Amino acid sequence: MALQEKLDRFKQQQEKCQSMLSNIAAKSASSRSTPKPAPAAASPFPSARPSAPVKFSNDTERLQHINSIRKAPVGAQMKRVIDILFQTRQAFTPEQINEACYVDVNGNKDVFEGLRKNPKVNYDGKRFSYKAKHDVKNKNELLVLIRKFIEGIAVIDLRDAYPNVMEDLQGLKAAGQIWLLSNFDSQEDIAFPNDPRVPIKVDDDLKELFRSIELPRDMLDIEKDLQKNGMKPATNTAKRRAAAQVQGITSKPKPRQKNKEFSKKAKLTNAHLPELFQSLKNS
């Protein structure tokens, strides 16, 4: 029987019971208004008082809540299930999901198929469970995973591995086993392995060379340098300036802007590897 039909029947029963109670109360009031002869002997029991209004269960509100959930869009129902799987990290049968969040997986084919095909859900034929991007369960497994990514791994890809993964990342960083590089320009942190067997040492000559390099101030010169090194510039300043002159617009050279990607890397290095360029700051 559908849930709505149960609600309708329950409401009808409430109305019927309330009507019966009203009739009983009316008959009782009319009988008290009619004078009766005094009884021969007093009754040993106290006189019955009018019954208090019957208070029905709050089950109606719960059933309405369940009905609203099951009438919600498929995506909203799936999100409720995935949230339960993510928070508990346990495997649930469809019946257990129904008890936990009132989503009828077996009764809604679209919800069932959507969960079965969802990349964040694992289904073994009987139970649903949360599926993280990387299958790690503790700090040791997390460290082994990060060491496999020499070029770094995005922290956003590790957030859902297990509940306290962020605390373990900070613990590995504090122990000097990994680097967590971040800056104000980028919204994503990157985790890099830190192998103590490979200490990083920068020669003074390399530091001086890094300090002495200066980019050309004119875009034409920058594009020429890129072409000399076998790279194709993303802009064509000569063509743009020629078009501006044809249209009678004087092209003014723009002030030099730092390369965005280079700026990010420089900030990353300066912010998190200060020992590499300490001599540059002191000079």
Side-chain angles (χ1 to χ4, degrees):
M1 183 182 292
L3 181 61
Q4 188 61 42
E5 293 178 2
K6 290 183 180 180
L7 286 172
D8 295 339
R9 176 174 292 184
F10 186 76
K11 290 180 180 179
Q12 291 175 1
Q13 291 177 350
Q14 282 185 318
E15 294 174 356
K16 185 177 180 180
C17 292
Q18 191 65 42
S19 177
M20 292 175 62
L21 290 173
S22 300
N23 293 335
I24 292 172
K27 289 180 181 180
S28 176
S30 61
S31 63
R32 284 198 302 271
S33 62
T34 305
K36 293 184 179 180
S43 172
F45 301 100
S47 59
R49 295 181 179 178
S51 58
V54 177
K55 221 175 194 181
F56 290 100
S57 169
N58 292 329
D59 198 50
T60 302
E61 184 177 351
R62 184 181 68 87
L63 293 175
Q64 289 175 342
H65 177 61
I66 296 174
N67 187 48
S68 65
I69 291 174
R70 294 181 178 176
K71 283 188 174 181
V74 173
Q77 297 188 54
M78 289 175 56
K79 184 180 183 304
R80 287 181 64 87
V81 175
I82 294 175
D83 288 345
I84 291 291
L85 299 179
F86 174 76
Q87 292 166 6
T88 61
R89 300 305 174 101
Q90 298 178 2
F92 286 80
T93 63
E95 293 76 16
Q96 290 171 333
I97 291 175
N98 191 5
E99 294 176 0
C101 60
Y102 305 126
V103 176
D104 188 7
V105 177
N106 282 335
N108 193 322
K109 183 179 179 181
D110 293 336
V111 174
F112 180 89
E113 290 298 323
L115 289 173
R116 188 177 65 84
K117 298 177 181 179
N118 193 287
K120 289 295 183 182
V121 177
N122 180 53
Y123 180 61
D124 61 4
K126 293 183 179 180
R127 291 177 173 83
F128 294 90
S129 58
Y130 187 80
K131 184 179 180 181
K133 184 168 184 177
H134 296 284
D135 186 19
V136 292
K137 302 293 189 301
N138 52 54
K139 184 188 289 187
N140 292 334
E141 294 181 3
L142 178 63
L143 179 59
V144 171
L145 174 67
I146 295 176
R147 284 177 174 172
K148 293 179 180 178
F149 290 82
I150 304 300
E151 71 282 2
I153 181 173
V155 172
I156 193 173
D157 293 337
L158 301 171
R159 287 182 181 275
D160 65 344
Y162 54 93
N164 60 331
V165 64
M166 298 306 296
E167 289 81 356
D168 286 348
L169 281 172
Q170 294 298 329
L172 292 173
K173 177 185 176 182
Q177 294 177 298
I178 67 170
W179 297 103
L180 286 180
L181 305 185
S182 61
N183 60 74
F184 296 107
D185 296 331
S186 175
Q187 298 299 321
E188 295 184 4
D189 294 347
I190 308 295
F192 293 89
N194 180 27
D195 192 344
R197 297 171 299 178
V198 188
I200 299 175
K201 185 178 180 180
V202 181
D203 295 334
D204 293 337
D205 293 341
L206 183 58
K207 296 177 184 178
E208 186 63 28
L209 179 63
F210 174 82
R211 183 181 180 184
S212 63
I213 293 176
E214 183 177 357
L215 292 176
R217 297 183 178 276
D218 192 279
M219 279 300 300
L220 285 174
D221 297 331
I222 294 177
E223 292 171 0
K224 290 178 181 179
D225 288 346
L226 291 174
Q227 292 173 352
K228 287 180 181 178
N229 289 276
M231 291 180 282
K232 183 180 179 180
T235 59
N236 192 332
T237 304
K239 183 177 179 181
R240 178 172 54 82
R241 290 180 181 176
Q245 290 178 358
V246 170
Q247 296 176 3
I249 302 174
T250 304
S251 177
K252 294 182 179 180
K254 293 183 179 180
R256 185 185 67 163
Q257 295 182 352
K258 293 184 179 179
N259 182 284
K260 189 175 182 181
E261 293 299 324
F262 178 80
S263 177
K264 288 183 180 180
K265 292 179 181 178
K267 288 183 180 179
L268 285 173
T269 303
N270 294 336
H272 298 275
L273 303 176
E275 64 276 7
L276 297 182
F277 295 92
Q278 188 64 38
S279 62
L280 295 180
K281 294 181 180 179
N282 296 334
S283 59

